[in-house]
Amino acid sequence: MSKTSKKAASAARRAKIEEMRRAEKVRERRNRVLTITLSTVIVAGLVGWGGYALTSANEKDEQQAAEAKKPVRGEKTWEKKKLTQNHVQGAVDYPMNPPVGGDHNQAWMTCDGTVYTKAIGKENAVHSLEHGAVWITYNDKAAEADIKTLGDKVSRTPYTLMSPDKDQSGPIMLSAWGIQLSVSKASDSRVEQFLSKYVQGAQTPEPGAACTGGLTA
């Protein structure tokens, strides 16, 4: 092969190699653009989803807060100023049954999700209400299944207690300090609403006071 032919062949190889390099650079550049674009889309999507989730969570919190402020349908209330808070000895003649406040014994009933199978001292239970507990009571009109359902719920809920009260008017009654609700079934949606609103609720005369370490029988 002549020198001229060799030079031409060498130039052709260099040109081909250079063309391949340019093509490779184009591919690399295109891949970088695609990667950046895809990453941008993913990040934007995550940011958008995060914003949506945060907005949804905030809206849910606001809705729950608004629901918590609403009175529970059918609840009865008593003026706080008429519910005295003196520690007394002996029985107290309460104007309502179960009582929702007033003078009471200096010892409270343990109310850390405590289920009592026998009647408890009203004067001790009222002291538990003063600490922010909700007291669920029932009589022989309440179905056994409802009693079990409520007992399970109470056992999972701090600042609650439950006991039988054969003399109350309704099958199932929920009492907080100054507030009371009567229902006929555990499945009534107002039960959960009452607990959510009044366990350590705004009505509590002594928020944060102990529900442990009290009487247990």
Side-chain angles (χ1 to χ4, degrees):
M1 180 181 292
S2 66
K3 291 183 179 181
T4 303
S5 298
K6 288 180 179 180
K7 288 181 179 181
S10 178
R13 282 197 300 272
R14 286 197 301 271
K16 188 173 183 180
I17 291 171
E18 186 62 30
E19 183 181 353
M20 291 173 65
R21 286 175 177 172
R22 285 197 299 270
E24 181 63 24
K25 288 181 180 179
V26 169
R27 281 196 297 270
E28 289 178 355
R29 189 161 54 249
R30 184 171 62 248
N31 289 340
R32 284 199 300 271
V33 171
L34 288 173
T35 300
I36 293 170
T37 301
L38 183 59
S39 299
T40 302
V41 170
I42 292 173
V43 170
L46 290 173
V47 170
W49 182 86
Y52 170 77
L54 182 61
T55 300
S56 296
N58 289 338
E59 288 177 351
K60 185 176 181 181
D61 290 343
E62 290 173 1
Q63 185 178 7
Q64 289 177 341
E67 287 295 324
K69 291 179 181 180
K70 293 180 181 179
V72 179
R73 178 174 53 83
E75 69 180 13
K76 294 181 179 179
T77 60
W78 285 261
E79 291 184 49
K80 281 190 175 182
K81 63 182 181 181
K82 293 184 178 180
L83 300 176
T84 52
Q85 296 175 241
N86 302 307
H87 288 176
V88 297
Q89 297 294 325
V92 177
D93 184 19
Y94 293 107
M96 76 294 286
N97 186 56
V100 298
D103 293 346
H104 49 270
N105 193 279
Q106 64 180 356
W108 62 89
M109 293 302 301
T110 296
C111 44
D112 190 33
T114 314
V115 178
Y116 298 95
T117 57
K118 295 182 180 180
I120 59 177
K122 291 179 171 60
E123 293 78 13
N124 307 106
V126 168
H127 196 158
S128 301
L129 301 186
E130 186 182 45
H131 289 191
V134 168
W135 180 22
I136 298 180
T137 52
Y138 60 92
N139 61 19
D140 55 8
K141 296 177 184 176
E144 286 297 325
D146 286 333
I147 294 172
K148 183 180 185 309
T149 296
L150 290 169
D152 291 343
K153 185 182 292 292
V154 166
S155 66
R156 299 191 302 267
T157 310
Y159 281 91
T160 63
L161 68 164
M162 178 175 169
S163 67
D165 186 335
K166 63 182 180 63
D167 297 324
Q168 69 182 30
S169 58
I172 300 167
M173 300 182 77
L174 294 84
S175 303
W177 186 271
I179 307 156
Q180 192 167 78
L181 174 70
S182 179
V183 299
S184 58
K185 293 183 178 296
S187 59
D188 193 312
S189 60
R190 293 175 296 169
V191 171
E192 188 63 38
Q193 185 185 2
F194 194 96
L195 289 170
S196 297
K197 184 171 184 177
Y198 296 122
V199 168
Q200 280 286 287
Q203 85 292 340
T204 304
E206 297 181 4
C211 243
T212 58
L215 299 180
T216 56

